[in-house]
Amino acid sequence: MWTSGRMSNAKNLLGLGVSLYFWGLMDLTTTVLSGSARPLTEGQEDNLSDKMHQRMKRSWVWNQFFVLEEYTGTDPLYVGKLHSDMDRGDGSIKYILSGEGAGIVFTIDDTTGDIHAIQRLDREERSQYTLRAQALDRRTGRPMEPESEFIIKIQDINDNEPKFLDGPYVASVPEMSPVGTSVIQVTATDADDPTYGNSARVVYSILQGQPYFSVDSRTGLIRTALMNMDREAKEYYEVIIQAKDMGGQLGGLAGTTTVNITLSDVNDNPPRFPQKHYQMSVLESAPISSTVGRVVAKDLDEGINAEMKYSLVDGDGLDVFDINTDPNYQVGIITVRKPLSFESKKSYTLKVEGANPHLEMRFLNLGPFRDTTTVHISVEDVDEPPVFEPSFYFVEVPEDVEIGTTIQIISAKDPDVTNNSIRYSIDRSSDPGRFFYVDIASGALMTARPLDREDVSWHNITVLAVELNNPSQVGSVSVTVKVLDVNDNAPEFARFYEGFVCENAKAGQLIQTVSAIDRDDPQEGQHFYYSLAPEAANNPNFTLRDNQDNTAWILTRRSGFRQHEQNTFYLPILISDNGRPVLSSTGTLTVHVCSCDDDGMVMSCNAEAYVLPVSLSRGALIAILACIFVLLVLVLLILSMRRQRKQPYIIDEEENIHENIVRYDDEGGGEEDTEAFDIAAMWNPREAQLVVKNRQDMLPEIESLSRYVPQACVMDNNVHNYVLAKLYEADMDLWAPPFDSLQTYMFEGNGSVAESLSSLQSVTTDSDQSYDYLTDWGPRFKKLAEMYGATDSSGALW
């Protein structure tokens, strides 16, 4: 019979009671195998083994052993005692322990059967162990009874404090929340056995964070405890929560955690401008959308609750300025909306409003959530470029306008108060052909070259205006010139016409239809008139019929054409247009006489060649070749002489120009030599005569240009027209002399107080002429007065 027991090492009554309790639980009734404890024979062992496989009834019953955890004594902890009724106390029985923790955590005295725990036990790591026990014959090692199993349970003590596994916590709650608003729930866990005593019963309390927050002692839910908590006053709170086991009683273990609570923002603060008056300035030349200045309204809120929207609500510059909101910095940016002018208006006043676009209804009583400020803007004067009035010019001019004709007066002015003088010019990149010229002072736009609508019908030029005192200030204006058509092109055949007539053609047969083109573009449209040229009007072979649709038919007037008589006819046709004046041209129609079949199909248009029976002798051929050779030599000699006369003096590149003296025998004629260039017109254009003079010492390479200038241009009071015409003719003359020429001019124009100061006519005046009047002409003639005027010194003149 097996028995077990348990004693406390403290050997007190509690240990004795527990041992008695365990003894009472054991089944003391066993099957007596023999009257005395003796070893089993081999047959008995086999019998026992067969009975064990047949789940024979055990002779001992095991219940649970209990042992407290966390034993801190120095001696092994006594767990219990195993005993078999076959054990006579003589040491013949050997007890063996196997299973979980056997030999490591638990040991057994093989003689007495006492079980001890040799390691510290922790219920939170392992709550029970399952072991097996067996009694053996110490001498033979054979089992005395079947092996049986029992359990050792670890009994819990309060050795674990509550822990916040998710801590520390971070939470937020809107500012100004009502009392009792939930913030966050914290949870602590206790590793002790919740089924045994109060070791795992946890209660919560707040150690830090009052009076702002509270915590539910049972659930750990944190709530607000104070009303009207303002984020702008205090934003961050650190709350410490304690969890204590044993129901919070004295002696319980406790754990703490930290909860960082942030008050989130709500729109409870209206915006306010720190300045009620802003003073700004802007240059009048500021471009559109340029920044004038910035205004800002302060809002104690943050994020979306601090967003601002700025607008102009009043003032005299609502149409001149604009305001935009910078979403990053929440400032109002005032920009230029229209061009500014210091001369028109020097200052503006604006009323700016800043408002919160996102409002909360429960805080409207704290408003209004908008504020206003006043902005004074001063416009500063700058030196502006000249301004054209109007800002665009459109000019129509006929293509036959004379050179130097004024087609438009371009006008610009300095918008500044100083009103500086203006000088005009043409941007040559817009007029590469140099068709136009603008007077530098008056802005008169004139033609400088002949215009041809058929070549260029539109001219887009840019006229520049520059301040005289500040050339960096440049204004510009676009001038569009439309060249109007005049009837200056005669009509002509659309192509080269070549027809044929059959030898068997009859009178009145159509042989060719002709049409014409005209480069002009009259408003009433093109209409051409056809007729035979006067010299061919009465020819006996062909006649012309004008179809009145800009085409004409060429018809045969007779029959009986023969190739051997005449194989080609050239018929001149006169073409006239309907312009004013009427222009005409003569075109030639070439008509070949051809051999045709009965259906009128051409067979041959070439006359049969006749073989000349006469042949040239050898002497005649030699004479002809000799004549040709002599003619070639003469031509080459003439060309060489002309080229030598035209060749200028050229210094060899290899010669040292510092060590050579080149002698020129051509001295020129001085002032008396006026045949190379007619300067009479420059002496006085009003008396210019169209007289042709040619030099006698060289071939005329350039004739008097004045004869090409219309008289109306010469008689103009402004010399610009005359010079422009001369310039154009000189540019167009490819045979102008390359040498320098000194020309003397008398004509100075009109309006001079001193009239003419030229010395060319001084030979006709008295040499003792008095020049005292020069002192009366002002400071510009002071130098002349000092040179020619009378002096106070008296003495003999040498």
Side-chain angles (χ1 to χ4, degrees):
M1 177 181 176
W2 285 92
T3 58
S4 64
R6 176 174 176 172
M7 295 291 294
S8 171
N9 285 338
K11 296 182 180 181
N12 51 21
L13 294 177
L14 178 61
L16 180 59
V18 171
S19 299
L20 293 175
Y21 171 75
F22 286 132
W23 276 99
L25 291 177
M26 296 179 62
D27 185 1
L28 300 180
T29 304
T30 59
T31 302
V32 180
L33 299 178
S34 61
S36 63
R38 61 184 182 271
L40 297 178
T41 63
E42 291 183 2
Q44 290 175 335
E45 288 180 358
D46 294 336
N47 243 355
L48 179 60
S49 176
D50 293 340
K51 291 180 180 180
M52 288 172 63
H53 285 292
Q54 296 174 5
R55 297 182 62 85
M56 61 178 296
K57 183 180 178 180
R58 295 172 182 172
S59 60
W60 52 315
V61 179
W62 298 102
N63 289 323
Q64 296 177 349
F65 288 92
F66 293 87
V67 60
L68 293 176
E69 65 173 337
E70 302 296 342
Y71 172 72
T72 58
T74 58
D75 298 330
L77 177 64
Y78 180 74
V79 177
K81 183 180 180 64
L82 298 180
H83 183 74
S84 174
D85 55 358
M86 295 183 181
D87 187 0
R88 301 291 184 243
D90 55 359
S92 61
I93 301 299
K94 181 180 180 180
Y95 298 97
I96 297 177
L97 187 65
S98 62
E100 298 175 348
I104 300 174
V105 180
F106 301 98
T107 60
I108 187 171
D109 189 324
D110 61 353
T111 302
T112 62
D114 294 333
I115 301 174
H116 292 82
I118 60 176
Q119 286 190 6
R120 184 177 179 180
L121 301 177
D122 190 350
R123 189 201 66 84
E124 287 71 34
E125 293 181 2
R126 187 159 190 161
S127 60
Q128 67 181 17
Y129 295 85
T130 301
L131 295 100
R132 293 180 298 277
Q134 191 171 26
L136 302 177
D137 187 291
R138 187 180 296 273
R139 185 175 58 82
T140 63
R142 293 181 180 181
M144 301 295 293
E145 292 189 19
E147 183 182 59
S148 187
E149 186 178 87
F150 65 96
I151 296 174
I152 299 177
K153 285 191 174 183
I154 311 302
Q155 208 167 20
D156 183 49
I157 63 174
N158 189 19
D159 59 341
N160 291 279
E161 72 278 3
K163 293 181 180 180
F164 294 91
L165 302 180
D166 299 327
Y169 296 86
V170 177
S172 65
V173 62
E175 62 174 332
M176 312 297 289
S177 296
V179 175
T181 301
S182 297
V183 179
I184 191 174
Q185 184 175 13
V186 296
T187 302
T189 58
D190 196 321
D192 293 327
D193 188 359
T195 62
Y196 182 77
N198 293 327
S199 298
R201 183 167 172 264
V202 178
V203 295
Y204 300 93
S205 62
I206 184 168
L207 301 182
Q208 177 181 315
Q210 294 176 333
Y212 307 104
F213 300 95
S214 62
V215 64
D216 188 290
S217 61
R218 184 176 60 84
T219 62
L221 181 62
I222 300 175
R223 295 186 174 90
T224 58
L226 189 65
M227 64 183 303
N228 296 332
M229 287 192 294
D230 193 358
R231 184 196 66 84
E232 289 73 29
K234 185 176 181 181
E235 183 176 3
Y236 300 102
Y237 295 86
E238 185 179 74
V239 178
I240 298 178
I241 302 297
Q242 175 183 269
K244 191 174 183 180
D245 58 11
M246 299 298 293
Q249 296 177 4
L250 187 63
L253 301 179
T256 60
T257 188
T258 301
V259 182
N260 295 310
I261 301 176
T262 303
L263 295 184
S264 59
D265 185 59
V266 297
N267 193 7
D268 59 339
N269 292 280
R272 291 294 179 262
F273 283 101
Q275 294 179 235
K276 288 302 180 181
H277 297 280
Y278 287 85
Q279 185 67 41
M280 301 178 183
S281 61
V282 60
L283 298 177
E284 63 173 334
S285 61
I288 303 299
S289 300
S290 60
T291 300
V292 178
R294 290 173 171 81
V295 296
V296 58
K298 299 294 184 179
D299 193 327
L300 298 179
D301 296 322
E302 65 179 9
I304 192 175
N305 300 311
E307 289 185 3
M308 300 295 299
K309 181 177 178 59
Y310 296 92
S311 59
L312 302 178
V313 295
D314 198 5
D316 56 358
L318 297 180
D319 59 338
V320 181
F321 299 95
D322 200 358
I323 189 168
N324 300 304
T325 303
D326 186 342
N328 297 323
Y329 299 99
Q330 302 301 322
V331 299
I333 303 175
I334 300 176
T335 57
V336 178
R337 186 176 182 181
K338 288 185 177 180
L340 303 173
S341 176
F342 174 81
E343 292 72 25
S344 300
K345 191 174 179 60
K346 297 179 175 60
S347 64
Y348 296 88
T349 300
L350 301 174
K351 187 175 183 180
V352 180
E353 180 185 80
N356 287 142
H358 306 286
L359 302 178
E360 295 191 26
M361 301 301 296
R362 61 192 181 106
F363 297 120
L364 290 181
N365 60 324
L366 302 178
F369 286 83
R370 62 184 67 244
D371 196 15
T372 59
T373 187
T374 303
V375 180
H376 296 281
I377 301 177
S378 300
V379 181
E380 296 183 356
D381 188 25
V382 296
D383 191 4
E384 299 176 278
V387 177
F388 288 89
E389 293 180 0
S391 59
F392 174 78
Y393 287 90
F394 176 76
V395 183
E396 293 182 336
V397 57
E399 61 178 324
D400 61 349
V401 65
E402 296 178 353
I403 296 177
T405 302
T406 299
I407 62 174
Q408 181 70 45
I409 300 297
I410 307 298
S411 177
K413 69 175 183 179
D414 184 5
D416 299 321
V417 178
T418 56
N419 195 17
N420 293 323
S421 299
I422 306 297
R423 293 293 179 264
Y424 301 91
S425 63
I426 294 178
D427 184 358
R428 284 306 169 191
S429 62
S430 64
D431 184 27
R434 297 181 179 269
F435 290 97
F436 302 95
Y437 170 82
V438 65
D439 186 78
I440 190 172
S442 64
L445 184 63
M446 296 173 282
T447 56
R449 295 184 62 183
L451 302 179
D452 190 352
R453 186 202 66 84
E454 287 71 36
D455 290 338
V456 182
S457 59
W458 292 86
H459 296 269
N460 295 305
I461 62 176
T462 300
V463 177
L464 306 177
V466 181
E467 289 187 12
L468 184 61
N469 296 335
N470 188 2
S472 63
Q473 297 298 329
V474 181
S476 64
V477 68
S478 295
V479 181
T480 299
V481 180
K482 180 182 180 182
V483 182
L484 301 178
D485 182 55
V486 297
N487 193 28
D488 59 346
N489 292 278
E492 57 187 12
F493 278 147
R495 59 181 178 86
F496 174 74
Y497 285 104
E498 188 175 22
F500 69 92
V501 60
C502 295
E503 289 182 320
N504 57 359
K506 299 179 179 179
Q509 183 174 337
L510 175 65
I511 62 173
Q512 184 67 50
T513 301
V514 296
S515 62
I517 57 173
D518 193 335
R519 296 181 64 193
D520 295 321
D521 186 19
Q523 295 182 355
E524 59 273 10
Q526 299 279 8
H527 188 73
F528 303 123
Y529 303 94
Y530 300 89
S531 63
L532 293 177
E535 63 270 20
N538 298 321
N539 77 91
N541 302 311
F542 303 99
T543 184
L544 182 144
R545 179 187 298 174
D546 192 341
N547 298 324
Q548 300 299 320
D549 60 354
N550 291 340
T551 64
W553 287 350
I554 309 302
L555 308 172
T556 58
R557 182 172 284 182
R558 67 176 177 86
S559 60
F561 293 93
R562 296 292 179 266
Q563 281 186 341
H564 64 274
E565 294 178 358
Q566 185 175 353
N567 63 348
T568 303
F569 294 90
Y570 298 98
L571 186 64
I573 300 175
L574 183 66
I575 312 169
S576 304
D577 60 15
N578 60 333
R580 295 187 182 90
V582 176
L583 298 180
S584 62
S585 67
T586 300
T588 301
L589 172 64
T590 302
V591 181
H592 299 283
V593 179
C594 302
S595 298
C596 304
D597 56 14
D598 295 338
D599 296 331
M601 301 300 294
V602 176
M603 296 179 2
S604 174
C605 292
N606 296 325
E608 296 181 0
Y610 294 93
V611 179
L612 297 178
V614 182
S615 60
L616 297 176
S617 64
R618 180 178 300 177
L621 290 176
I622 293 174
I624 293 173
L625 293 177
C627 292
I628 293 174
F629 178 74
V630 171
L631 289 176
L632 289 175
V633 171
L634 289 176
V635 170
L636 291 176
L637 182 60
I638 293 172
L639 292 176
S640 177
M641 293 177 63
R642 292 191 63 181
R643 182 177 180 184
Q644 187 173 1
R645 289 187 61 189
K646 295 290 185 179
Q647 185 174 6
Y649 293 104
I650 301 176
I651 301 176
D652 190 356
E653 294 179 358
E654 297 181 358
E655 294 182 359
N656 189 344
I657 60 175
H658 299 287
E659 299 177 359
N660 291 277
I661 300 176
V662 181
R663 180 180 178 181
Y664 299 93
D665 293 331
D666 186 8
E667 298 180 358
E671 292 187 2
E672 297 300 328
D673 184 8
T674 60
E675 296 179 356
F677 193 88
D678 186 6
I679 64 173
M682 299 304 293
W683 287 341
N684 193 344
R686 300 178 182 82
E687 301 175 1
Q689 300 295 329
L690 299 177
V691 179
V692 179
K693 296 182 181 181
N694 295 331
R695 292 187 64 138
Q696 303 300 325
D697 56 347
M698 64 170 61
L699 293 178
E701 295 177 345
I702 178 169
E703 297 182 351
S704 177
L705 300 179
S706 61
R707 68 187 184 90
Y708 297 109
V709 183
Q711 188 66 22
C713 180
V714 175
M715 295 306 292
D716 191 355
N717 290 334
N718 196 338
V719 77
H720 282 303
N721 300 7
Y722 181 78
V723 175
L724 289 174
K726 296 294 185 182
L727 178 62
Y728 172 70
E729 292 176 11
D731 289 342
M732 295 295 104
D733 191 351
L734 301 179
W735 301 101
F739 50 81
D740 295 335
S741 177
L742 174 63
Q743 305 293 339
T744 306
Y745 303 98
M746 288 179 56
F747 180 67
E748 300 176 353
N750 297 331
S752 174
V753 179
E755 297 181 352
S756 177
L757 296 179
S758 176
S759 62
L760 295 177
Q761 298 176 350
S762 62
V763 295
T764 62
T765 62
D766 187 3
S767 60
D768 296 333
Q769 180 181 356
S770 175
Y771 295 97
D772 293 340
Y773 59 85
L774 292 175
T775 58
D776 300 331
W777 287 356
R780 282 189 282 182
F781 297 92
K782 181 179 179 181
K783 190 66 176 178
L784 289 175
E786 293 175 356
M787 296 173 59
Y788 294 96
T791 60
D792 295 338
S793 61
S794 61
L797 298 177
W798 303 99

